[in-house]
Every structure is written in C-alpha cells, then in structure tokens.
Amino acid sequence: MAQPIFRSEGLTKVYRTGDVSVHALRGVDLSLYPGEFTVLLGPSGSGKSTLLNILGGLDRASGGRAWFADHELTAMSDRELTRYRRDHVGFVFQFYNLVASLTARENVALVTEIARNPMPADEALARVGLDQRMDHFPAQLSGGEQQRVAIARAIAKRPDVLLCDEPTGALDSKTGVQVLEALNAINSDLGTTTVVITHNAGIQAMAHRVVFFADGRIAEVRENASRARPSDITW
Amino acid sequence: MSVLDRKLLRDLRRMWAQVLAIALVLACGVTILVLAVGAQRSLEDTLDAYYERNRFAEVFANVRRAPDSLLPDIRALPGVRMAETRIVGQVVLDLPGLAEPAAGRVVSLPDFGDPALNLPMIVAGRPPDPDRTDEVMVSRAFAEANGFVPGDRFAANLNGRKRVLTITGTALSPEFVYVLGPGAMLPDNRRYGILWMPRRALAAAFDLQGAFNDVALALTREGQAEAVIPALDRLLAPYGGAGAHGRAEQASHVFIEGELTQLRAMARILPPVFFLISAFLVNMVLQRIVSLERGVVGLMKALGYSDAAVAGHFLKLAMLVAIIGIVIGWGMGSWLGRGMARLYTEFFEFPYLVFQPRVGSYATAAAAGLLASGLGALQSARRAAALPPAIAMAPPAPPVFRRGLSDRLAAFAGLSQPSMMVLRGITRWPGRAAFSVLAMAAAVAMLMSASFFPDSLDEIIDTAFFEQNRQHAMLILAEDRADDVVEDVRHLPGILAAEPLHAVPAILRSGTLSRRLAVEARDPDARLSRVTDAAGRPVEPAGSGIVLSERLAERLGVGPGDRIEMEILTGRRETLLLEVSGTACIHFGLGAYMDRAALARLLRKPPQVSVVNVAMDPAQADALYAAAKNTPGLAGTVLLFQTRASFRATIGENVLITTMVYVVIAVLITVGVAYNSARIQLSERARELASLRIIGFTRAEASYILIGELMALAILAQPVGWILGWIFAYAQVVSFSSDLYSLPFVMNPATYARSSLVVLSASAFSALIVRRRIDRLDLVAVMKTRE
Ligand SMILES: Nc1ncnc2c1ncn2[C@@H]1O[C@H](COP(=O)(O)OP(=O)(O)OP(=O)(O)O)[C@@H](O)[C@H]1O
Ligand SMILES: [Mg+2]
C-alpha cells in the first residue's frame, strides 16, 4: 500500500475555557491515503471538525503527532503552517465563507493570486459548472452555487488535499448532490485527496474510506469495495 | 489590482458616509497644519528675504539732536558693521477730501545715493529730488487708501510750517511692514502714512542742520544687540538719547513676531486634537469591521495569507481613509492659505507675499494624518492578525455581556428594559463611550473658545472706550509743553473739555526684570481719560506712587507696596525710585500711570503736557479739524470714536470668520463621532432591534435604544465640554496675552448654551440619519443572516 498522505499518532486536543476543559480529541491514530475520498461521520461534538482543523493546519494539537506526507504538522511554526495551507490545502466550509463584496471570479482569484501553480479562476469555476455566473456577487447566487464557488476556490490552487466540513450541511438534497458531484469529479479527474465531514450517513456510500468518530476517538474505519455515484444518494 | 484591494475599494464605497465623516475630521487637522505651517513659513521666508534685501537695521535709536560728528564714534563701536543717521519727525497732514487731520511720520533720505539701511522699495514713481523741499515719496498703503498717484499733492504741517508737497513716488519699507500711528490700535492707512523726504529739506524744517535725531545700525556677524545698545546709549545720552532698542522692540517687527507666535501655537495645539479624534474614529470603526469580518479574516488565513497580509489589509483601509482626508486637507489648506496670505497683505505691507505651497508642510501634514490613522488601526489590525485561522470554520461568538454594578443601579432606579439596554450598551464598551464623550466634549470646548472671543472683545471695548478712554480725541503735541497749552486748546472751536497728559519714555525696572514704555502722568481729577481696575473703579496713583497695569506688574514681578526703578529716557535721564501704589486693568499695551504734579516735583520741573485729551462738540467738528490742521506744534490727532469703529469693524469681520470656521469644525467632529458610533451600534444591534420590532416594539421604541445611547453620551459630553471649554478659553487668554494686548476672560451663560446647542443638534442630526435606517430595517433579512 502507498505511503499515507495524512497520518496521526495519539492526537489529542483539549479546549480550555475558564476552569472547564473539553477533551475534543482523546488519542486519534489515523492514516489517509493519496487520491482517496474519505468521509468522516460521527455525532455532534465528537471531534470531527477539530481533527480536520488540525490536519488542515488551522489549529494545533494539544498532544500526539500528525504528518502530512513526511512533514510533521505538529512540529511546524505558525509561518510554516501558513505556507502549508497556502501550498497544499483547499478548504470548503459549511457556510461557504465567500467574501460578500467580491464576485465569484474574484473570490476564486483570492486564491489564485497567492498560489504557486494555480489554474485560471475561470477554469476552476467551469469545473464546478459555474461558467455562466462568474461575475455574480455571492448575494446573487443560491446556496448551492455559493458552495460550488467555494469548491472552485478550494481547488483553484490545485491542492494536494481538499478538506470539507459539512459542505452540504446547509443545502437541500438536490443542491447537495450537485456539490457532491463537483467534489467527486475533482477527486477522480485531478486525483485530489478529499476528506468530507458530514452528518449525512448516505454520503458514505460514495467514499473509498469511511471513518466513524465517537467521543474524540475513531470508533471504526471502513473501506468501501464499490462506490455509489453521488446522483444515487438522496436525503 | 489585487482582489483584496478591490474588496477594500468596494467596502470603502459602501461605507462612504462613515469614511467621509472620519476623513473630514482628519482633514481639519491636515488643513490647519498646512495652513499654519505654510503661512508661518511663507511669512518667515518673506520677512527674511525682505529684511535681507532691503537691509533692515538691527538696532534703532532716537535722540533729541546729535551732531553729525558723532557718526564716526558710533561706527567705531565694537559689533557695529554699518550706521546711518537720519532725521525723522511726526507731522500733521491736511489731505484733500478728508475733514479731520491726518498724520504721518517723515523719514529723511540721504543727500547722495540710496539709504544704506532700511532701504525703501520703490513701487511707483521716483524718490524726491534731494535738492527740492516740496517733494515727497509716500508709503504705498497710504497712497492707495487715499487714491494718490505720483503728481498728486497734499499739505503737511512740518514743524509748524504748513507746506504743500508733491508726491513723486510710492514705496514700501522693511521698517514699516505693520504701521500703527501714535495712539492707534489698528492700522489706519487713510489717516496715517510714512513720508520720505530729502534730508536737506527736513534738516531745514526741523532745525537739524549738521545734526540728526535718529540712527540705525547693522551689526557684524559677532555683534550682539545687547552689547551694542548700552554702548550706543552712552554715546547718545549727552544729546538727549531716548534709549536704543533692537528689533525685538521695533514696532513693526514686534507685530509680525506676534502673528508668527500665534501661527506656531495654532500649528502645535489644534492639529493634535483632530488627529487624536480621527485616530479614535478609525479605531472604533475598524474594531467593528474586524469583528464583522472575522469570517473573512479566518478565510484569508485558511487560504494561506500571512498574518502580515491580514494586518496589512486593514491598515490599508485606514491608510485610504487617511489619504482621502489628506487630499481634502491639502486642498482646504491651500485654499485657506491663499486667503490667509490675502489677509496678511491687508494688514502687513509686504512687497510680495505668496502663500508658497511648502512641500515640507504638506508632507508633514500627510505623515501626521497617516500616522494618526495608522495608529488608530493598529489595535484592530493586530487583533485581526492574531485571530486563529480556525475561526473561519466557526460561527461568530455572541458578545459577552456581564451583569455589573450599573445594572444593579439601573434595576434599583427602576429603569425600563429599553433604558436598561441603553445603559448596558454604554457600559459594554466603556472605552468607546468615554472617548465619544471626550470627542464631543472637545467639539463643545472648541465652540466655547471661539464664541467666548466676541464677549471678551466687547468687554475690551467697554473698558477701553467707555470706562478708560472716554475722550473724543487726543491731540498729540510735537514736544512737551507747559500747562498753558491746555488753555490754548480750550480756545479751539468746539472744545468742551481739555485735560493734559504727560507721557515720559522710561524703563521700569525691578531687579533684573525691565520694560520700556511711556509712563503716563495725569491730573488727579481727570475725567476724560482715566485708569480703572477690573471692577471698573477708577484707580488713582497715591502721592508720588505709580500704578501699573496688572500685566506689567506681573512682568516685573511686583505688586502694590513694592518699589521699582524708573529710568527716564529723556532730559536729564534721571532714575527715580517709586512705590507701586496699585494695579489697573488695561487691555492695550503695558501701562504705567503717575500723578502729573507728583512727577513734576520729582523731576524738579514745572508740570509738562505731551497730549491733550479733549471732549468736543460734534456739531463743530469740522471747524476743530480745520484748526488742528493749522496748529503748529501738533504732531497728530487720534479720534477715538474712529478708533473704536474701526476696531469693531475689523474685529467683527474676523470674529464672524473664526466663529464660522469653528462651528464647521465642531459639527464635523460631532457628526464624525456621533454618526460613526450610531452606525456601529446599529450594526451591532441590528439583530436585537429587529427582534424587538418582531415582538411588537414600535419603530420609535426600537430607535429609542439606539438614539437614546447616542444622545445620552452627547448629553454627558456637555458638562465635560464646558469644563474643557473653560480651560481652552483660559489657555487662549493666557497665550494671547502679550506686551501688546490682553484678553479679559469672559464666560457668559450664552456661550455655554450656544456651544451645547450646536453639538447636541449635530448629534441629533446624526442620530436621525441613522434612525432612518432603523425604520427601513429589513426584519426578515436581518434575522436570517448570520451576524
Ligand atoms: N474553540 C473551542 N473552544 C472550546 N471548546 C470547543 C471549541 N471548539 C470545539 N470545542 C468543543 O470540542 C468538542 C468537539 O468539537 P468539534 O467541533 O470538533 O465537534 P464536531 O464533531 O465537529 O461536531 P459537529 O458535528 O456538531 O460540528 C465539542 O465538545 C466542542 O464543544
Ligand atoms: Mg463540526
């Protein structure tokens, strides 16, 4: 088997607010492989977002170690983490997080302007089927369209990994499927390693690998022998 | 242009009103800097160049009559580079078309060539022919005010001989940039002028053949005025020297220096206030923007933008606001600067005075503006840079409200829920509330310090003209005379009363402190011109004591009961030891007053008269004027009602302009602060207000919370502003007080009321603009959006 693109050993995360400390991660050992489409499932508060944030270099672990290929994320300085995010990671957020005062194309350009080897913003938008709405502002787009702009923005830098936190969380089933199709196409066309957090158990059918989370730990990892097409998924 | 910059420009356009409100406050600071520094430099440079080119002297001395043979001795004094003697005198003029007598100062021109010092700059025509006795060159301002051109004639009473003079040319001189006639308070070019005549003609007229009565010196590089003056005094003393002085006491120079001092003070004191307020506004607005844009910040970080790029983004916003303000300020500063230069050419006689745009002052102002805005933005920019990237993923946290003392107090006072919300809004951001209060208080204070001015001037007019100088006219004699001259004056047509005054040039000394001035000696029963204290009670010198103006007493560090030395600069140059018998409230000049008979006794001479103060019958004014024009021995007349009128007019015009400027400034500050803080509160509370509307609050009730907070702060700002304004005004009184003037400190209740009214209206106006937005609040949209 290939070398994992993400690997973690005994990863822990403790949030301290006042005298209360919340153990979000209680020792996570995980390996994810290049080119795979992974789905992260688990109850609310089980630590999925926390893990994704650490893998994406948005947050730091309290204990344990994590690697991206052979770079140790848990040993990086803030500056190195910034570089890592800039060069390797694409994010898709539940609430799209588009800049309201920028058009779709400009939101994508936000990334292409600083990336090392970006694809043209128009191409990224075309990949998610938005070639007709490039000059629209977020307020003029539907939720699904906005999320697809966010995906175009995430893939425009040709990231090694695409990390998505509940990308369909705010969308209805039909729009959600469009978004999943966009993600799937990118995973298969560009070979981008993709991690998707979801509360929608149905989505696991399209993954190579499904990770079940419970109470800050991995409860189970399952590999799918065959994958469903996004259009077959409903919720 | 990068996408982020494009976002910046769009954000700026969306918030244009807020941006403009801040930029205008900043622009005030820039304007004043450009204006004051520019005007100051223009004035200084013009002055330097003019003094240099036209050889303005450094030491000046008057003498009764000194032989020309003294000149080599003067030239030989150590430190003297050049010396030139002249003949100068006061003359009464009879001008065509002017009923009342005018006056002038005649100054001799050398028989051969140009003057070595104080070279007049000829504007039109030519200098008088050295061999003619009826030709004269006059000052440009005098010619213009009277409509004279070369070839015109007027009559002058030259030492008792009336003569018709022909104007050959007009000129300017570095010696007479600011020209005040004797006893005048403001320049009056119609009735007072400088006349240059050939030395030979003046020597004959003033009986000064082979002699001089005025000398001017230029010093060597090492020469010190302080060292040369006593040496010159020693040389001139036997000939009736009246004490030499340097530029620091040269009348024209002193006034320009006074103006420069004020400009420097203006450049130092006012701009920092504006920069501080704009820094605060930038800070307040950016804090809000950063909280609103937490998501964008998180996103930028998640996308791999560095901390510096994030901080830079917000700093750039502040810089853009600053740049808008700077550009407006530059424009305003240049425009007002030209206006100021025009104003200067009205008051000062310069050959040229251009308000030169100084790269330096523009750059300084710009740097200060950028710095202020940058500092204001720093905190928010740093906060943005410090936000963890993970917040891109998280929804914004609601602000933390805490129950504090104020809540308990409010509950105790039984405040309604909306009032409670107002109170909590204020205590939630105590720093912001405090600064809003301070900034609006500063606006009140500025208005007060502007509006106190006219009251103060009214008080001056009241004291100076209605309590102290109640005579209609002053007849200034060419030289001191015995008392019978008063009798002669009484016989002139239309004279109702005449009172003598003896003016003695002297140096008053106490320890190392000294002042040069004319000590005025009056008769004890003088009714027309008298001296009063702050309460308006007449103050009489007791016995052979001396009464000092409060300012003079302060300058000399003495009070009633102390003794001072009086070194008389004329006659036998005696030094008297006098007791200070009281102090008086005098607004123009430093004053010192004695009893005429007592002074005469001390000098062992019969009482003398230098000025006759008169009350006259207006119906016979023309007859009196005609007589005055032909009276030998008269050096000039001052008509006090005219002085008063021109004082009123000039001051009135200035006050109107100043008041308008200050009102504009105060409104800009208030709107800048009130509008921005209301917009920020609206943005913070949109949800809350929408919820209130949804549960059934009326628009008025919902707006009350927002407007209530704003107006509560505005009202709170009033007493603070009154205190600040009182301090500002007092500081102005102190900084304005010079040897030339003092301002009385007058604070009428109306000043407080007017200032508060302007600031409260401006904040109410801002509140109403924001209220219109509350009325249009889209309830559904507000509740739907995240934050
Ligand atoms: N910034 C924070 N401060 C304090 N506690 C936090 C913070 N972020 C997360 N937590 C806590 O850590 C635990 C894990 O949170 P996390 O967001 O990873 O859960 P999740 O699995 O993504 O849940 P969900 O499905 O609801 O998004 C939760 O109990 C949460 O309350
Ligand atoms: Mg989550």
Side-chain angles (χ1 to χ4, degrees):
Chain A
M1 194 166 230
Q3 160 159 16
I5 191 162
F6 277 127
R7 193 158 63 83
S8 74
E9 279 177 9
L11 207 58
T12 62
K13 176 75 186 181
V14 184
Y15 288 110
R16 261 178 254 281
T17 23
D19 348 308
V20 197
S21 44
V22 179
H23 291 262
L25 298 179
R26 301 167 183 268
V28 173
D29 303 307
L30 177 73
S31 293
L32 299 176
Y33 296 90
E36 279 191 353
F37 193 109
T38 304
V39 165
L40 232 55
L41 279 169
S44 186
S46 57
K48 306 179 297 292
S49 297
T50 306
L51 176 67
L52 201 75
N53 288 353
I54 293 171
L55 294 182
L58 291 177
D59 208 348
R60 293 177 165 284
S62 312
R65 305 169 75 187
W67 290 266
F68 167 76
D70 40 7
H71 307 289
E72 186 179 347
L73 294 172
T74 39
M76 284 185 185
S77 68
D78 276 347
R79 193 178 290 270
E80 287 167 330
L81 280 176
T82 302
R83 271 240 78 87
Y84 160 66
R85 292 196 299 269
R86 179 189 288 213
D87 295 339
H88 302 287
V89 191
F91 289 101
V92 177
F93 312 95
Q94 180 181 358
F95 295 105
Y96 331 133
N97 234 336
L98 297 182
V99 178
S101 51
L102 296 179
T103 62
R105 193 204 310 263
E106 288 164 345
N107 263 287
V108 178
L110 217 44
V111 167
T112 55
E113 274 179 5
I114 58 164
R116 271 195 308 202
N117 173 31
M119 64 176 79
D122 297 12
E123 182 188 334
L125 283 164
R127 278 189 182 276
V128 294
L130 283 179
D131 23 1
Q132 299 305 313
R133 333 224 38 183
M134 297 207 253
D135 293 319
H136 286 62
F137 282 93
Q140 300 164 325
L141 296 170
S142 76
E145 286 164 342
Q146 290 186 51
Q147 190 60 300
R148 281 187 283 155
V149 174
I151 293 171
R153 184 176 63 192
I155 60 161
K157 69 166 76 152
R158 304 184 202 277
D160 297 304
V161 294
L162 188 57
L163 305 180
C164 317
D165 196 344
E166 303 187 36
T168 58
L171 303 176
D172 65 37
S173 151
K174 185 161 154 276
T175 337
V177 166
Q178 288 173 351
V179 167
L180 290 176
E181 266 170 346
L183 288 176
N184 198 42
I186 284 145
N187 175 250
S188 48
D189 298 355
L190 303 176
T192 312
T193 310
T194 307
V195 184
V196 174
I197 293 179
T198 181
H199 280 281
N200 186 340
I203 295 179
Q204 60 176 293
M206 63 177 281
H208 293 109
R209 184 182 297 269
V210 186
V211 178
F212 292 91
F213 242 78
D215 200 15
R217 290 193 187 84
I218 292 173
E220 190 195 342
V221 178
R222 201 189 293 157
E223 283 186 64
N224 284 338
S226 69
R227 300 168 60 206
R229 281 191 321 220
S231 52
D232 297 337
I233 298 167
T234 48
W235 66 89
Chain B
M1 191 177 4
S2 83
V3 199
L4 274 180
D5 291 344
R6 225 173 292 167
K7 162 183 180 294
L8 211 59
L9 289 184
R10 284 188 198 139
D11 290 346
L12 221 53
R13 203 178 319 145
R14 188 169 42 81
M15 315 188 319
W16 69 269
Q18 274 173 283
V19 167
L20 192 67
I22 302 176
L24 284 176
V25 174
L26 194 112
C28 287
V30 173
T31 303
I32 293 174
L33 256 187
V34 167
L35 176 69
V37 174
Q40 177 200 331
R41 296 274 154 75
S42 301
L43 208 53
E44 279 170 350
D45 289 1
T46 306
L47 213 56
D48 282 353
Y50 189 26
Y51 280 2
E52 169 81 34
R53 199 178 315 163
N54 290 59
R55 308 196 283 269
F56 183 44
E58 288 160 273
V59 173
F60 309 80
N62 260 117
V63 59
R64 248 187 112 67
R65 180 200 175 93
D68 283 344
S69 57
L70 200 61
L71 185 57
D73 295 346
I74 297 175
R75 287 201 170 125
L77 288 176
V80 173
R81 180 166 58 85
M82 209 189 284
E84 189 170 48
T85 63
R86 301 189 296 190
I87 294 171
V88 302
Q90 286 299 127
V91 293
V92 170
L93 308 176
D94 182 358
L95 302 181
L98 191 66
E100 63 267 25
R105 182 174 179 78
V106 272
V107 177
S108 69
L109 291 172
D111 292 336
F112 305 102
D114 286 335
L117 293 170
N118 303 319
L119 177 70
M121 197 184 108
I122 293 164
V123 183
R126 57 167 176 87
D129 181 338
D131 295 324
R132 303 284 298 251
T133 56
D134 60 352
E135 287 191 352
V136 65
M137 180 166 75
V138 301
S139 50
R140 181 181 67 181
F142 176 67
E144 276 173 3
N146 285 291
F148 288 149
V149 291
D152 286 351
R153 290 149 195 266
F154 63 86
N157 190 336
L158 276 171
N159 199 27
R161 277 187 291 267
K162 194 156 179 177
R163 223 179 271 173
V164 174
L165 303 174
T166 305
I167 298 172
T168 58
T170 62
L172 300 170
S173 160
E175 227 183 331
F176 303 108
V177 174
Y178 186 86
V179 179
L180 268 192
M185 287 164 183
L186 289 164
D188 180 358
N189 294 321
R190 180 105 161 88
R191 293 176 195 84
Y192 191 76
I194 307 299
L195 319 175
W196 285 274
M197 287 183 71
R199 176 138 178 184
R200 224 168 290 153
L202 288 184
F206 288 92
D207 260 341
L208 285 168
Q209 279 97 346
F212 64 91
N213 67 3
D214 187 90
V215 59
L217 311 181
L219 304 181
T220 59
R221 205 173 284 280
E222 306 80 42
Q224 292 290 320
E226 298 76 46
V228 172
I229 289 171
L232 181 61
D233 276 346
R234 270 191 300 277
L235 274 183
L236 296 179
Y239 307 99
H245 59 87
R247 282 185 184 175
E249 288 180 77
Q250 203 267 344
S252 159
H253 184 76
V254 168
F255 272 90
I256 307 171
E257 273 302 317
E259 182 62 31
L260 280 171
T261 309
Q262 276 194 35
L263 284 176
R264 285 188 204 112
M266 177 159 130
R268 253 199 321 269
I269 298 166
L270 281 178
V273 174
F274 293 104
F275 289 131
L276 201 70
I277 295 175
S278 40
F280 152 70
L281 289 177
V282 167
N283 178 284
M284 184 165 92
V285 169
L286 263 188
Q287 286 225 8
R288 180 58 193 157
I289 291 179
V290 170
S291 355
L292 278 178
E293 300 221 316
R294 280 162 63 96
V296 176
V297 172
L299 174 77
M300 283 172 71
K301 295 201 153 180
L303 295 181
Y305 282 90
S306 65
D307 289 358
V310 171
H313 180 66
F314 292 103
L315 280 178
K316 242 189 232 171
L317 183 70
M319 292 300 110
L320 280 176
V321 174
I323 287 169
I324 297 175
I326 288 167
V327 170
I328 298 175
W330 278 355
M332 290 291 294
S334 315
W335 182 64
L336 288 175
R338 272 194 292 277
M340 188 99 142
R342 222 177 4 251
L343 207 66
Y344 281 154
T345 49
E346 248 172 61
F347 278 86
F348 297 125
E349 280 297 308
F350 284 116
Y352 42 83
L353 178 75
V354 259
F355 179 72
Q356 283 279 339
R358 312 261 135 179
V359 177
S361 66
Y362 285 77
T364 313
L370 288 174
L371 189 73
S373 191
L375 284 180
L378 205 58
Q379 192 195 4
S380 303
R382 272 165 52 181
R383 212 166 52 107
L387 280 175
I391 59 149
M393 296 289 199
V400 196
F401 279 90
R402 256 184 243 103
R403 275 185 68 83
L405 184 64
S406 59
D407 292 280
R408 258 166 275 156
L409 274 177
F412 184 72
L415 286 187
S416 66
Q417 271 313 308
S419 300
M420 194 85 131
M421 290 172 75
V422 168
L423 192 66
R424 238 181 247 150
I426 292 173
T427 51
R428 163 101 178 86
W429 305 101
R432 190 163 84 194
F435 211 111
S436 299
V437 167
L438 268 184
M440 287 191 270
V444 175
M446 284 197 183
L447 283 172
M448 279 174 67
S449 62
S451 110
F452 114 96
F453 224 73
D455 294 343
S456 178
L457 293 170
D458 273 348
E459 167 85 17
I460 287 187
I461 291 179
D462 242 26
T463 330
F465 296 105
F466 294 103
E467 281 174 7
Q468 297 176 343
N469 300 300
R470 305 184 295 183
Q471 69 272 45
H472 293 134
M474 292 162 69
L475 307 183
I476 300 166
L477 306 180
E479 51 192 13
D480 292 353
R481 302 268 295 272
D483 273 1
D484 49 4
V485 74
V486 183
E487 231 11 77
D488 295 346
V489 168
R490 284 205 184 100
H491 288 114
L492 290 174
I495 295 290
L496 302 177
E499 289 174 358
L501 181 142
H502 184 197
V504 186
I507 297 177
L508 295 184
R509 223 179 246 116
S510 162
T512 55
L513 303 172
S514 69
R515 280 293 185 279
R516 222 181 109 103
L517 72 160
V519 175
E520 295 176 12
R522 290 181 176 74
D523 289 346
D525 56 351
R527 312 292 322 139
L528 295 177
S529 158
R530 47 181 207 166
V531 172
T532 56
D533 64 9
R537 283 183 302 256
V539 184
E540 299 271 342
S544 55
I546 188 167
V547 168
L548 305 181
S549 70
E550 282 156 6
R551 250 168 327 129
L552 181 57
E554 194 185 304
R555 301 278 197 277
L556 295 177
V558 294
D562 292 339
R563 288 178 165 274
I564 59 168
E565 266 177 35
M566 171 174 167
E567 181 190 334
I568 294 171
L569 295 173
T570 55
R572 292 189 291 264
R573 300 187 67 95
E574 288 170 84
T575 297
L576 310 175
L577 196 63
L578 303 171
E579 184 180 314
V580 178
S581 73
T583 58
C585 178
I586 305 291
H587 298 304
F588 290 101
L590 301 169
Y593 310 91
M594 290 183 73
D595 182 83
R596 207 163 62 92
L599 179 62
R601 262 196 314 280
L602 289 171
L603 296 174
R604 300 178 308 281
K605 283 209 298 201
Q608 303 278 297
V609 184
S610 341
V611 173
V612 183
N613 292 316
V614 298
M616 62 195 226
D617 174 4
Q620 296 186 57
D622 285 349
L624 176 61
Y625 295 154
K629 285 174 184 172
N630 295 308
T631 304
L634 204 57
T637 54
V638 177
L639 301 175
L640 274 98
F641 48 88
Q642 236 160 37
T643 310
R644 194 173 69 219
S646 78
F647 185 75
R648 270 243 164 83
T650 313
I651 298 299
E653 193 181 323
N654 283 345
V655 160
L656 191 71
I657 294 171
T658 330
T659 308
M660 256 156 49
V661 167
Y662 274 82
V663 166
V664 168
I665 284 175
V667 167
L668 286 181
I669 292 181
T670 311
V671 171
V673 172
Y675 180 70
N676 271 301
S677 70
R679 280 306 304 269
I680 288 172
Q681 286 168 34
L682 176 63
S683 130
E684 282 168 358
R685 293 187 147 179
R687 249 161 195 282
E688 211 172 272
L689 296 176
S691 321
L692 289 179
R693 293 272 290 112
I694 288 168
I695 62 173
F697 275 61
T698 63
R699 282 184 178 151
E701 282 162 342
S703 327
Y704 163 73
I705 294 169
L706 197 88
I707 294 175
E709 179 170 339
L710 191 62
M711 291 316 284
L713 292 181
I715 288 168
L716 216 58
Q718 302 312 312
V720 182
W722 295 335
I723 296 172
L724 270 185
W726 198 94
I727 296 173
F728 273 29
Y730 196 82
Q732 257 194 346
V733 165
V734 171
S735 79
F736 208 85
S737 162
S738 66
D739 285 4
L740 302 173
Y741 302 111
S742 79
L743 277 183
F745 185 71
V746 185
M747 252 321 153
N748 292 332
T751 301
Y752 294 93
R754 264 197 304 264
S755 311
S756 289
L757 195 69
V758 171
V759 169
L760 287 175
S761 321
S763 33
F765 169 74
S766 317
L768 286 179
I769 295 182
V770 177
R771 201 206 126 131
R772 283 196 11 234
R773 290 184 171 263
I774 303 182
D775 292 349
R776 289 197 310 238
L777 211 58
D778 181 342
L779 302 184
V780 184
V782 171
M783 296 313 285
K784 253 175 35 188
T785 51
R786 197 167 75 112
E787 243 283 6

